[in-house]
């Protein structure tokens, strides 16, 4: 109950903030070094909240939305370590960075799509081989754990976990 009331209080604070203030707040909380477990939980909650938006809308309608999402995903990655929960958060960020996009109008009929991955590829975590080895290990473990299920082969290959595994293998 205490965690829920604290979370509700923080969400109440977010509702009265400007976009920039909300982004700064999320960046601060997800990078909290004094309370690691609270920061890890906030990173996970933020990832899942963004992931829920995937089903609603993936196109970002302004440069401000794009910049804000990039900042939040960057903050999540910056706070991640090699704990299983943070590896999961980083994998989720990787997937989300390739899902949401902003269309830059360039005068042609169809504009160019910008994905947050373009900015996040500059993050130091992308070049941390030990971190991504742990991420790959977690994907393989998850896949092996779930391989006994009776799903169609094609749907199994299209699962988010397997898509992330393939992206990680391509990176290696």
């Amino acid at each position: 109950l205490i965690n829920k009331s604290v979370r509700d209080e923080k969400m109440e604070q977010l509702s009265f903030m400007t976009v920039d203030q909300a982004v700064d707040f999320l960046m601060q909380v997800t990078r909290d070094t004094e309370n690691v477990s609270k920061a890890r939980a906030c990173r996970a909650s933020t990832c899942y909240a963004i992931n829920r938006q995937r089903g609603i809308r993936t196109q970002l309608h302004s440069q401000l939305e794009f910049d804000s999402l990039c900042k939040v995903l960057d903050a999540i990655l910056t706070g991640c370590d090699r704990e299983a929960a943070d590896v999961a958060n980083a994998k989720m960020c990787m997937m989300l960075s390739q899902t949401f996009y902003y269309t830059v109008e360039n005068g042609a009929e169809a504009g160019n799509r910008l994905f947050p991955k373009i900015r996040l590829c500059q993050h130091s975590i992308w070049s941390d081989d030990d971190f991504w080895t742990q991420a790959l290990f977690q994907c393989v473990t998850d896949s092996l754990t779930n391989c006994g299920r009776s799903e169609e082969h094609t749907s199994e290959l299209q699962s988010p976990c397997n898509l992330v595994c393939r992206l990680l293998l391509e990176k290696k």
Side-chain angles (χ1 to χ4, degrees), residues 26-91:
L26 284 170
M27 289 172 53
Q28 178 185 4
V29 173
T30 58
R31 292 178 174 170
D32 187 359
T33 56
E34 291 180 23
N35 191 338
V36 175
S37 62
K38 177 181 168 186
R40 188 171 289 124
C42 183
R43 286 190 292 275
S45 296
T46 303
C47 283
Y48 285 106
I50 295 169
N51 191 40
R52 279 193 302 275
Q53 292 301 307
R54 257 184 346 139
I56 299 168
R57 131 179 112 96
T58 56
Q59 182 176 7
L60 304 170
H61 295 294
S62 69
Q63 184 72 44
L64 177 62
E65 284 183 343
F66 178 78
D67 292 341
S68 298
L69 180 60
C70 290
K71 287 177 184 177
V72 169
L73 293 175
D74 183 78
I76 291 169
L77 289 176
T78 298
C80 287
D81 58 24
R82 288 185 181 87
E83 291 294 320
D86 274 336
V87 171
N89 291 335
K91 290 187 312 185

Side-chain angles (χ1 to χ4, degrees), residues 7 34 60 71 75 89 101 105 109 123 125:
R7 185 188 72 221
E34 291 180 23
L60 304 170
K71 287 177 184 177
N89 291 335
Y101 65 92
E105 299 302 327
E109 282 185 31
H123 195 282
I125 203 167

Side-chain angles (χ1 to χ4, degrees), residues 66-132:
F66 178 78
D67 292 341
S68 298
L69 180 60
C70 290
K71 287 177 184 177
V72 169
L73 293 175
D74 183 78
I76 291 169
L77 289 176
T78 298
C80 287
D81 58 24
R82 288 185 181 87
E83 291 294 320
D86 274 336
V87 171
N89 291 335
K91 290 187 312 185
M92 179 75 78
C93 281
M94 183 190 328
M95 181 186 67
L96 294 171
S97 73
Q98 297 177 83
T99 303
F100 291 94
Y101 65 92
Y102 172 63
T103 304
V104 179
E105 299 302 327
N106 57 4
E109 282 185 31
N112 294 328
R113 288 185 176 182
L114 281 180
F115 291 87
K117 180 183 176 188
I118 294 167
R119 291 204 188 150
L120 294 179
C121 283
Q122 306 304 317
H123 195 282
S124 62
I125 203 167
W126 290 97
S127 59
D128 184 345
D129 287 338
D130 292 336
F131 185 90
W132 292 109

